Each structure stands twice: as C-alpha cells, then as structure tokens.
Amino acid sequence: MSREIRITPSILNADFDHLDKEIGKIAQVSDLIHLDVMDNIFVPNFTFDFESASKIIQNCPIGVDAHLMVADVEEIAPLYAQVGCESVTIHAEATKDIAKTLRAIRSEGARSGLAVKPQTSIADYEQFSDLVDMFLIMTVEPGFGGQKFMNDMMEKVRATRRVIGDRPIWLQVDGGISLETIEIAVEAGADTFVAGSAVFKADDPAAMVVSLRELVRGVAN
Ligand code: DX5
Ligand code: ZN
C-alpha cells in the first residue's frame, strides 16, 4: 500500500510584497501552504506577527499549515487554529505543556503538529503521539530558508516512522527539500514535504511543485 504524499510549499522565500500573487502561483498544485511564523526569540529571525499572519491565513485560497517558531507558544497556538489554519505545529522545545497545547489546537478544529529541531530527539515525545496529527522533523536549523538539507536527520525520520506505526499521523520534513533531496526523505519515511527556496527560486514554481510530487508519488511503505 503506498503512502499518501503531500507537498506543502513554504512562502518564506516568496516575495512578501506580493504574497497573494505568489501563493496564487502554486495554490492549485499544493496540498497546503506552509506559513513560517518566527518571533526573533525562539529563532533569530522575524516573519509575521499574529495580525499579519491572520490576514494571510484568511485570504489563502487553500489550507494553511502554520509552523510556529515562537517562544511561549501555548497561548498563541490555539488562536492560529481559531483563525482558520488547517494545521498548527508547535515546537517541543518552545512548549511548557505540550499535551495541553496539542489538545487546545485540536479543540479549535485544526490538526495538531509537533516539531523537533535537529538537535532534539523524537524519543522524548513519543508519549504525545496520541495527541499528534503530524510530526515535523526539521532538516535544517529553523530560522531561514535556503539552507542545506541535513542528511543525518534521516535516522530520526526512520525513528519517527516507527513511532507512528500504522496510525494516520503525517510525517513532515522541512528544510532543504528539493529535486535532489526529496527522494532521500521519502525513502526514510516522510510523507509531507515543505519546500521553500526550491519552489520560489524556480522559474516556474507550480511546475516545480508538480515535479517534486512526481518524484515521490506512489512510494511504497
Ligand atoms: C525554516 C522554515 C522552513 C524553510 C524551508 O525555519 O521552517 O519552512 O522556510 O525553506 P527551504 O525549503 O528553502 O529550506
Ligand atoms: Zn517551516
């Protein structure tokens, strides 16, 4: 049985001055738009505050997968669900009460995501898997697009696939995903792929999303 595959392009490397147009280029061929929210505290970069992120979410023609790279995420995570995100991902490293926050995201009607940075093991977070609709394994240090894919994260992807077993939990990888690296990630067990610079640096971003999907479509378990 082949795993369902999702391409969730990140707009971090898109032209922020023309986001509607940029999103419009890829919306029809993407499963979700990956929105990287950075507060310049949890990561050394800033992208959107809640107000500007909300506008993007409410104007987005397809579902939004919010990746919250923010400190003290407990209060704000449910609000991203409330404002209409399809999925809201918190970082294990930024969350005091992970179970409570994952439950709060779900109770507002969104899928719950739990992310780990490269240096963070997944083993410590298996205990939350009943509350998780998607695990996010960072394949770069969070904060910036255009970084090099970290091959040494594939062992963690395999470990996460073992944690998931046959449950319908998505396994997302984020950072350095391109035509050169996506097959490495799918073979390790990922099924949901964030691609930022590979998509928005391409001459035809929509064609790039289609090419990425073709490379991994129908991959057996
Ligand atoms: C990095 C973000 C990623 C990033 C991916 O902190 O979480 O989503 O935008 O960009 P690329 O695909 O260029 O590595
Ligand atoms: Zn991200």
Side-chain angles (χ1 to χ4, degrees), residues 10 12-13 34 36 38 67 69 138 140-147 174-177 194-198:
S10 159
L12 186 62
N13 289 78
H34 183 82
D36 288 307
M38 301 180 184
H67 176 192
M69 288 162 276
M138 290 304 296
V140 295
E141 201 56 46
F144 299 91
Q147 300 178 77
D174 183 4
I177 296 295
V194 178
S197 44

Side-chain angles (χ1 to χ4, degrees), residues 16-184:
F16 279 17
D17 295 334
H18 303 93
L19 265 185
D20 286 350
K21 189 161 158 277
E22 296 277 82
I23 291 172
K25 286 179 190 168
I26 56 166
Q28 300 316 313
V29 292
S30 304
D31 293 284
L32 295 171
I33 295 295
H34 183 82
L35 180 65
D36 288 307
V37 179
M38 301 180 184
D39 63 359
N40 203 28
I41 301 170
F42 180 68
V43 290
N45 193 4
F46 179 84
T47 53
F48 308 105
D49 61 13
F50 179 68
E51 194 187 342
S52 46
S54 301
K55 288 195 185 84
I56 296 167
I57 294 157
Q58 289 168 335
N59 291 329
C60 195
I62 63 172
V64 171
D65 157 35
H67 176 192
L68 303 184
M69 288 162 276
V70 300
D72 305 326
V73 70
E74 284 85 351
E75 289 74 32
I76 197 101
L79 302 185
Y80 274 89
Q82 224 170 56
V83 80
C85 283
E86 177 123 353
S87 181
V88 179
T89 297
I90 59 176
H91 265 268
E93 305 91 347
T95 317
K96 291 186 197 66
D97 189 333
I98 291 174
K100 180 169 161 261
T101 311
L102 293 170
R103 282 196 188 95
I105 291 167
R106 279 180 163 177
S107 66
E108 292 291 350
R111 294 176 64 87
S112 59
L114 185 60
V116 287
K117 291 170 38 173
Q119 303 310 319
T120 304
S121 151
I122 190 68
D124 302 342
Y125 301 100
E126 179 170 358
Q127 59 184 301
F128 301 107
S129 53
D130 285 345
L131 297 170
V132 171
D133 296 310
M134 177 171 78
F135 280 111
L136 165 46
I137 305 302
M138 290 304 296
T139 43
V140 295
E141 201 56 46
F144 299 91
Q147 300 178 77
K148 191 173 173 319
F149 176 78
M150 295 172 72
N151 264 293
D152 53 354
M153 289 296 111
M154 293 308 101
E155 185 41 47
K156 195 190 300 183
V157 171
R158 280 188 283 275
T160 306
R161 180 48 65 190
R162 289 193 294 273
V163 165
I164 291 171
D166 56 4
R167 290 179 289 183
I169 301 173
W170 297 357
L171 203 176
Q172 186 178 50
V173 286
D174 183 4
I177 296 295
S178 67
L179 294 174
E180 291 71 37
T181 61
I182 194 167
E183 288 169 291
I184 300 167

